[in-house]
């Protein structure tokens, strides 16, 4: 957070003399006009558009502002960096349009009027944001189109919008670190006492229900295995790894093995129609997770990781029902998308789910399952929130009607007005507190009825969830001067961080929840996308409710590590770039487990066992002979269980990654060769001597095509200076590759449109364009937007085309993936393209076809993995020179 905060605040401060430059760099939007669009439960939705009298005017993306035919439409800057779920800071421009030069319009200014919000979605002309109920009106007054009791606001209201940051994740991570290190100083009770309490099937004693606390063995596994200096520290001297692994292999409950067998038998029975047929690695992983205190599951692309996680949750729910009605399963993922996917699968298999988190960050299809929806349906909570909104509105109206109460005023305030203001402020404070209490009661009731509580890792410290678990926090009474809760989104983090830094963390735990029933506990915790999250964030769901007895982490350490701003190399060199799962999987011994019966699914290993594939593996190993360790990538993480059957990619697409990054253990069912054929239209454009191979490599060549920085979007011929007052743009682009990709897209759309005319039932294909560099993403998008022929073809086609960075595409898939490598120089410099995990992600997104655009000379010289891939493609006969139809064909079987 420190680097992010310094970057954002420095950017804003630097813009004091040049706010227009900040907008042109994509970090701010000026002269924005707000309109109320409704509510998402307790949040208010506003649409922000460029005002009709805005100082800066932009045309349709890809055109000059003066050339646009839409005279009544003001577009947003085409290169703006505002995206869904971003944190924004809205700042009032007191004098309307053009008033963004004074200190009062800087979000950091002491006289600025600001409101924090989150982005719901964006379009070419608008940004939709979600704001906590009442916050907008309390700060700025009613919106110009408001139809409520407050009346319409000022039509000349203009707002400055800045990309901002949230300190909530940081505060909650600090809290989790404090709690995990403070745990040994807590309870003096025998560690096995909790397990025996859990084993009581019919003993519903409130005292025993309250005794479920975090397993000390889990805490030891996390703390005692941490090494500050991986090279210098002798881990075996600091802890007995063998003994620790044996303890972690013990069941969380005395009857866990019996309950796990019951759940597995049901999931494999004919009655369980909601479950598919599991393969052997999936069944083995599920069985292990249900009977161990710590289980780590490595899920390569397309191996059914989400299905496995949901099935484990199903088994855990069965154990919860045999422990106490007040125990729940906590299932988390690093991202909102990951949490949504997990929630949807849990609902599909018949479990009752509550999705914790602001509805504005949740998929619309899950809004009815959110905690916000449950609170909104509760009459008492809804009335309390309405009373709080009314009380804060009355306070705002009174203070705004008195000039002496306005910020910065030096006028005299009458004694009577002071008394009235104090009374209204007290009334607002009381109403807000009552609304919080009523919301906590409604939330606890909803959580009590759930089987599984789903949230992001950071969301596991949600204040309403902690209240339901009886966790006492300290800042419940932090109220703004206008009566609102000081920071609805971050109060939980502040509360916990204050208490958790000492030895008394969580000693103040209520026996009763807000609904006056025994408090909830979450003895079973599942963390998906565990390798994408920094370790302190992984700790939040483990420590937040202080009741974790069994932990399951799912992820893939052979894909991208956590994103850390302080990691200047982008290759995961920061200590924070090592996730908790990656660290433990590379430290703990290979688990001794009962293997499930082998399934009879036939595998297609033709490409995996082909000579070019074996040569690629040999080359990578030979080039790594001088490395300090010769341990293969998969063996580095032997402490985890591997899901080894993938259902996403054609066997030829998965072969290289399986052989090089997973020791050849990742196999493909034979039926996928028929279900994932290479598109005929694409094969006509990029022919190969072996049409069955689902990979093509288009050699653009050049050895000097890369450029640093972005191109101007108003005029593609102009360059944007790579260095500005707001930081250096170190991203790269490659115009030649972008142009080749655009030509291929147009040819492909033309052919698919023709085939659709002949056969209207032909299924559409989805296309993903992936590249490591943000400047290349922006360039490709701008070329697509500026090309009239492409736009016409895209409108006629049902093909879905998406352009994203590699980092933004992890966990996603498309029928056709087009990858632009970008780097093209004579020195063989590849930058963070040399990160084999980033390469693995890029090569494993495609289902039927993978097309790589790159400079083979630069890639060969720059990295052994890319050299192996280029050689592999050449030997398979799937390399095509850019602009030609000739392919290099060699026999490979």
């Amino acid at each position: 957070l420190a680097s992010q905060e310094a970057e954002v605040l420095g950017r804003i401060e630097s813009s004091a003399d040049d706010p227009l430059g900040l907008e042109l760099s994509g970090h701010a939007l000026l002269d924005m006009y707000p309109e109320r669009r409704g509510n998402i439960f307790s949040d208010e939705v506003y649409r922000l558009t460029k005002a009709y009298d805005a100082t800066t005017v932009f045309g349709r993306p890809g055109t000059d502002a003066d050339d646009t035919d839409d005279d009544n439409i003001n577009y947003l800057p085409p290169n703006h960096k505002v995206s869904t779920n971003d944190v924004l800071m809205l700042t009032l421009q007191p004098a309307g349009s053009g008033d963004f030069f004074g200190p009062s319009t800087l979000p950091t200014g002491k006289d600025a009027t600001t409101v924090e919000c989150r982005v719901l979605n964006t379009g070419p002309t608008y940004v939709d944001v979600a704001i906590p109920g009442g916050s907008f009106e309390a700060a700025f007054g009613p919106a110009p189109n408001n139809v409520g009791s407050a009346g319409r606001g000022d039509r000349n209201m203009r707002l400055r919008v800045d990309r901002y940051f949230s300190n909530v994740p940081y505060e909650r991570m600090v809290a989790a670190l404090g709690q995990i290190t403070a745990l040994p100083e807590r309870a003096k009770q025998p560690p096995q006492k909790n397990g025996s309490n859990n084993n009581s099937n019919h003993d519903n004693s409130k005292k025993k229900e309250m005794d479920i606390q975090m397993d000390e063995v889990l805490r030891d596994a996390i703390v005692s295995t941490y090494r500050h200096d991986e090279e210098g520290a002798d881990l075996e001297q600091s802890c007995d790894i063998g003994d620790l692994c044996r303890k972690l292999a013990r069941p969380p409950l005395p009857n866990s093995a019996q309950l796990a067998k019951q759940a597995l038998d049901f999931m494999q029975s004919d009655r369980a129609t909601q479950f598919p047929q599991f393969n052997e690695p999936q069944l083995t992983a599920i069985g292990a997770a249900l009977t161990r205190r710590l289980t780590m599951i490595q899920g390569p692309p397309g191996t059914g990781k989400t299905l496995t996680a949901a099935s484990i949750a199903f088994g855990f729910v069965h154990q919860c029902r045999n422990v106490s009605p007040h125990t729940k399963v906590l299932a988390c993922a690093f991202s909102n998308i990951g949490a949504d996917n997990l929630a949807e699968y849990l609902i599909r298999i018949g479990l009752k789910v509550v999705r914790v988190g602001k509805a504005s960050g949740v998929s619309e299809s899950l809004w009815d399952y959110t905690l916000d929806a449950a609170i909104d349906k509760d009459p008492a909570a809804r009335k309390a929130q309405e009373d709080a909104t009314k009380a804060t509105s009355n306070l705002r109206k009174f203070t705004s009607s008195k000039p002496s109460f306005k910020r910065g005023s030096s006028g005299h305030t009458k004694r009577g007005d002071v008394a009235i203001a104090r009374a209204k402020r007290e009334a607002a404070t009381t109403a807000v507190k009552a609304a919080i209490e009523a919301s906590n009661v409604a939330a606890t009731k909803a959580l009590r009825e759930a089987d599984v509580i789903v949230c992001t890792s950071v969301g596991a410290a949600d204040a309403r969830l902690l209240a339901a678990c009886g966790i006492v926090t300290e800042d419940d009474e932090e109220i703004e001067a206008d009566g609102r809760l000081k920071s609805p989104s971050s109060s939980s983090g502040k509360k916990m961080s204050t208490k958790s830094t000492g030895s008394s963390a969580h000693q103040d735990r209520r026996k009763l929840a807000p609904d006056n029933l025994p408090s909830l506990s979450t003895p079973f915790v599942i963390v998906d996308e565990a390798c994408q999250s920094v370790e302190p964030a992984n700790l939040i769901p483990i420590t937040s409710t202080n009741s974790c007895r069994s932990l399951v982490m799912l992820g893939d350490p052979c894909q991208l590590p956590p994103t850390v701003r302080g990691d200047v190399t982008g290759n995961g060199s920061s200590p924070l770039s090592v996730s908790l799962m990656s660290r433990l999987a590379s430290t703990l011994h290979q688990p001794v487990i009962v293997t499930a019966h082998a399934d009879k699914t036939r595998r297609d290993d033709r490409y995996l066992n082909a000579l070019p594939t074996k040569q690629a593996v040999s080359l990578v190993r030979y080039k790594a002979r001088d490395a300090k360790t010769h341990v293969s990538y998969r063996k580095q993480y032997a402490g985890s269980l591997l899901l080894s059957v993938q259902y996403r990619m054609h066997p030829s697409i998965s072969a290289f990654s399986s052989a090089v990054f997973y020791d050849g253990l990742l196999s493909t069912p034979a039926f996928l060769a028929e279900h994932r054929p290479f598109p005929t239209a694409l094969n006509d454009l990029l022919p190969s001597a072996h049409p069955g191979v689902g990979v093509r490599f288009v050699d653009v060549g050049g050895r000097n095509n890369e450029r640093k920085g972005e191109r101007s979007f108003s005029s593609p011929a102009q360059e944007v200076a790579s260095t500005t007052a707001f930081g250096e743009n170190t991203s790269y682009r490659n115009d030649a590759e972008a142009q080749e990709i655009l030509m291929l897209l147009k040819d492909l759309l033309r052919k698919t449109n023709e085939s659709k005319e002949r056969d209207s039932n032909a299924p559409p294909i989805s296309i993903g364009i992936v590249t490591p560099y943000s400047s290349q993403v922006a360039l490709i998008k701008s070329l697509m937007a500026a090309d009239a022929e492409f736009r016409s073809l895209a409108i006629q086609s049902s093909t879905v085309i998406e352009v994203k960075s590699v980092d933004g595409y992890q966990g996603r898939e498309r029928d056709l993936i087009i990858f632009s490598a970008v780097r093209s120089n004579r020195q063989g410099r590849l930058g963070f393209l040399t990160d084999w995990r980033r390469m693995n992600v890029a090569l494993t997104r495609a289902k039927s076809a993978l097309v790589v655009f790159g400079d083979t000379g630069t890639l060969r010289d720059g990295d052994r993995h890319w050299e192996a891939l280029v050689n592999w493609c050449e030997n398979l006969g799937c390399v095509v020179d850019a602009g030609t139809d000739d392919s290099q064909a060699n026999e490979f079987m």
Side-chain angles (χ1 to χ4, degrees), residues 472-494:
V472 178
T473 52
E474 290 187 341
D475 297 314
D476 286 330
E477 299 182 0
E478 282 198 22
I479 307 295
E480 292 279 18
D482 59 14
R484 293 175 291 123
L485 182 65
K486 180 168 257 187
S487 182
S489 61
S490 64
S491 56
S492 165
K494 292 181 180 178

Side-chain angles (χ1 to χ4, degrees), residues 536-553:
N538 285 143
L539 295 178
I540 297 173
I542 300 171
T543 63
S544 61
T545 65
N546 188 33
S547 55
C548 179
R549 307 290 300 171
S550 178
L551 172 64
V552 178
M553 291 188 286

